[in-house]
Amino acid sequence: MSVCVMIRTTKVIVPNDFLHALANKGEQIVATSLEFPSVKYGTHDKAIRGIEVNQEENGYEVRVCSYASVEDYILFAKTIDVLIGLTRGKAYYEDCDDDPIENPIERFNTDWIEEQRMSSFMATRALTKHIGSPAVLWGMFCHMCIGAKVYNDFDIPLRSEYKKEYMDTLQEYLLSIQWHFANLKDTSTDLVIQSENGNNLTISMICIKDGKVNNFDYISVASLLCLMDMDNKDDEPVLIEFENLWKILPEGVFRVIDEWQYKRIEEVTPDMVRQMIKKAKRFQIDDFHHDPIEPGNGFDDKQNTFILMWNPAISSVDLDEHNYGIENMLTEIFNWSVWEHEKAKIGDRFFLVRVGEGNTGIVMSGVFSSNPYEDSDWSGKGRQTYYMDMNPNVILNPEKVPMITTEQLMTAIPTFDWTGGHSGRILEKEDAKKLEKLWHDYIEANTKYIDGVNMNAVNINY
């Protein structure tokens, strides 16, 4: 959540005009962009996100964004005050004629700053709770990826109230990130994957060339991470999404920065990168411009639908472990065995059905976040078993929340065995469409149960 003020004026100024004026008032300014149409700067050692001054047709826009530091907000007010003085223009909050600003220092005072900080935290936290994915925010020198894991690390729950001092501690950490990484080398590149819709994908890269790994201090977030061995012409580059990055990193070589970024603390060798490439192939996506649709939000013919079976009486996952995953859906690790794994791929949809005794029916839905991989048999019988990682978008407690029951599934889709059998069987397209309609209607009718404890849902249009 950002806040902007428009200074309407016909007078033309250059960035040095207001930057020098701020410096003359005692501000220690560090600028990261010195040219219009957008100038970005902040207070030395005190800025998290800094200030933007954007050149517009009718004047100059001053903007401060969510997760800004207190000093960012103070500089925001001082910048508006300076620009009014330099241009003799009129200032308007959010460029609204009904909200002129005559004294920005008084208007954007301490109470207003604390109100903005709290509201921006609440808004971004609510967004994480709703969509599940971290927010990626630009900072003075590096991006910040803030999501459920970061909130959890700072004892900030997604649903209940949190202590202000925890928010302050998180902001102190974000401040330290910006200035610690100010002069460190990252893995960003100028490469993009172009798309017809204009939603170009940025690339962060780790590569081997001439027997050496490219020099970097930390892995910086982009749309995709590319891993490449340029010394091996037979090996194709591998591109993965950042949510899977932690699964391929060599142990003890990187330290967590935030949700998706990592600092290098030991040397990265070519052999390590080759191992990362090997692991990353599990998460390689064929079409990076295809955005998988979560169950309950519609149907996509590009996605297959798999039915996973769960019998708590014989499964390695008991009822308590399943219910633990409800409240911890965005921080817990999920995977499941898939029988028809040769037909499955990353981005396909799944539904987990409880079978056996007790209340039976659908207890989870989501999309697969990996391609199939072989691992030890969960039952201990030594069978060849393939698994897939999962990103659930709905989990419910079958003892506390109504379900689409086994009986309802058998009536609606009688061609499939809903009572047991192998876990991870593909559902035919026409039946999958019927199931999607059932699931959509079920969620719409049961939103009152989504409390984060007995039922949790993310990225659902309800």
Side-chain angles (χ1 to χ4, degrees):
M1 186 176 69
S2 63
V3 177
C4 73
V5 167
M6 188 70 200
I7 291 95
R8 299 179 192 167
T9 181
T10 58
K11 185 172 181 179
V12 177
I13 61 172
V14 296
N16 276 346
D17 290 341
F18 62 86
L19 292 176
H20 284 160
L22 288 166
N24 290 336
K25 290 180 176 290
E27 296 297 321
Q28 292 183 304
I29 299 296
V30 176
T32 58
S33 172
L34 278 170
E35 299 292 334
F36 281 138
S38 183
V39 177
K40 297 180 182 179
Y41 57 95
T43 306
H44 182 261
D45 269 345
K46 296 179 180 179
I48 294 177
R49 304 201 65 187
I51 304 298
E52 286 185 18
V53 176
N54 302 309
Q55 189 177 43
E56 306 289 346
E57 289 185 1
N58 60 339
Y60 301 93
E61 178 199 69
V62 186
R63 183 175 294 274
V64 63
C65 297
S66 58
Y67 283 83
S69 67
V70 171
E71 289 295 330
D72 285 333
Y73 284 110
I74 292 172
L75 187 58
F76 171 71
K78 290 181 177 180
T79 297
I80 297 165
D81 189 51
V82 163
L83 283 170
I84 291 173
L86 288 172
T87 65
R88 302 302 177 190
K90 298 291 186 180
Y92 296 89
Y93 190 76
E94 301 291 345
D95 202 13
C96 176
D97 288 336
D98 296 331
D99 200 352
I101 299 169
E102 294 183 358
N103 190 327
I105 305 301
E106 288 185 4
R107 172 69 179 271
F108 305 121
N109 57 24
T110 301
D111 291 341
W112 179 87
I113 291 172
E114 287 307 305
E115 181 182 313
Q116 289 299 312
R117 292 180 66 220
M118 292 297 294
S119 62
S120 69
F121 260 71
M122 291 175 66
T124 49
R125 189 180 62 143
L127 188 63
T128 297
K129 180 181 71 175
H130 179 67
I131 68 172
S133 298
V136 179
L137 313 174
W138 56 261
M140 275 290 290
F141 303 104
C142 66
H143 283 83
M144 301 172 289
C145 307
I146 305 171
K149 293 177 183 176
V150 172
Y151 289 124
N152 185 65
D153 288 343
F154 286 86
D155 294 323
I156 300 175
L158 288 180
R159 292 184 178 272
S160 56
E161 294 298 317
Y162 58 89
K163 296 181 180 180
K164 180 181 176 297
E165 53 261 40
Y166 297 163
M167 179 186 76
D168 294 336
T169 302
L170 173 54
Q171 279 213 297
E172 288 170 6
Y173 175 70
L174 297 177
L175 176 64
S176 70
I177 288 176
Q178 293 306 315
W179 295 92
H180 178 75
F181 290 91
N183 297 308
L184 298 186
K185 185 174 179 57
D186 61 31
T187 55
S188 62
T189 73
D190 294 328
L191 300 173
V192 296
I193 298 177
Q194 296 184 338
S195 63
E196 294 179 357
N197 63 12
N199 184 27
N200 294 337
L201 303 176
T202 57
I203 305 294
S204 201
M205 181 180 289
I206 300 174
C207 69
I208 303 169
K209 184 179 180 182
D210 298 330
K212 297 180 180 179
V213 179
N214 61 303
N215 182 37
F216 67 91
D217 296 302
Y218 69 100
I219 302 175
S220 52
V221 70
S223 304
L224 302 166
L225 176 71
C226 176
L227 296 159
M228 182 186 302
D229 185 354
M230 299 177 71
D231 294 344
N232 185 354
K233 300 188 183 304
D234 295 328
D235 214 354
E236 294 280 334
V238 178
L239 294 102
I240 66 169
E241 296 175 311
F242 267 78
E243 67 178 63
N244 287 316
L245 175 58
W246 65 273
K247 301 175 185 178
I248 69 168
L249 294 179
E251 187 175 350
V253 179
F254 292 92
R255 186 173 66 226
V256 172
I257 299 173
D258 52 29
E259 205 93 3
W260 283 345
Q261 299 181 115
Y262 294 82
K263 181 181 179 183
R264 181 184 61 79
I265 57 175
E266 298 289 345
E267 179 187 0
V268 180
T269 67
D271 282 344
M272 289 177 184
V273 176
R274 292 187 186 103
Q275 284 298 313
M276 290 171 67
I277 291 173
K278 184 178 179 181
K279 291 180 181 178
K281 290 178 179 178
R282 182 189 298 180
F283 310 103
Q284 173 89 308
I285 298 174
D286 293 333
D287 182 2
F288 289 105
H289 295 295
H290 174 244
D291 190 12
I293 297 178
E294 285 84 357
N297 284 341
F299 190 79
D300 186 345
D301 280 327
K302 292 184 178 180
Q303 295 170 276
N304 291 322
T305 300
F306 289 82
I307 306 303
L308 310 176
M309 296 297 180
W310 171 51
N311 186 337
I314 61 174
S315 173
S316 59
V317 177
D318 62 24
L319 184 59
D320 287 341
E321 289 172 306
H322 170 80
N323 290 338
Y324 175 83
I326 298 173
E327 197 166 353
N328 299 278
M329 187 165 71
L330 298 179
T331 55
E332 183 67 2
I333 300 169
F334 299 87
N335 64 11
W336 212 266
S337 61
V338 179
W339 176 253
E340 295 190 272
H341 56 86
E342 70 281 354
K343 301 177 183 178
K345 65 184 182 304
I346 189 170
D348 281 343
R349 300 146 65 91
F350 71 83
F351 290 86
L352 180 66
V353 180
R354 181 186 182 184
V355 297
E357 298 182 357
N359 298 320
T360 61
I362 297 176
V363 296
M364 183 190 298
S365 69
V367 298
F368 290 125
S369 57
S370 79
N371 292 309
Y373 56 93
E374 188 175 2
D375 208 338
S376 57
D377 180 10
W378 60 268
S379 68
K381 297 178 181 179
R383 302 170 299 182
Q384 186 179 43
T385 307
Y386 285 83
Y387 297 86
M388 296 181 74
D389 295 346
M390 307 148 73
N391 277 346
N393 73 323
V394 177
I395 310 180
L396 59 91
N397 182 343
E399 305 300 321
K400 299 290 185 179
V401 176
M403 293 184 291
I404 296 180
T405 65
T406 302
E407 289 75 17
Q408 290 172 311
L409 291 168
M410 292 170 63
T411 299
I413 308 173
T415 54
F416 190 87
D417 180 9
W418 297 99
T419 62
H422 290 298
S423 177
R425 288 169 287 150
I426 194 168
L427 192 64
E428 295 298 326
K429 291 287 185 183
E430 291 306 311
D431 288 340
K433 290 178 182 178
K434 293 178 184 177
L435 181 56
E436 168 59 27
K437 178 66 166 58
L438 281 175
W439 193 237
H440 171 82
D441 293 347
Y442 163 79
I443 293 170
E444 197 171 61
N446 291 278
T447 56
K448 64 182 179 181
Y449 293 104
I450 302 175
D451 59 359
V453 177
N454 295 309
M455 183 177 182
N456 208 344
V458 296
N459 221 0
I460 287 287
N461 299 323
Y462 62 85

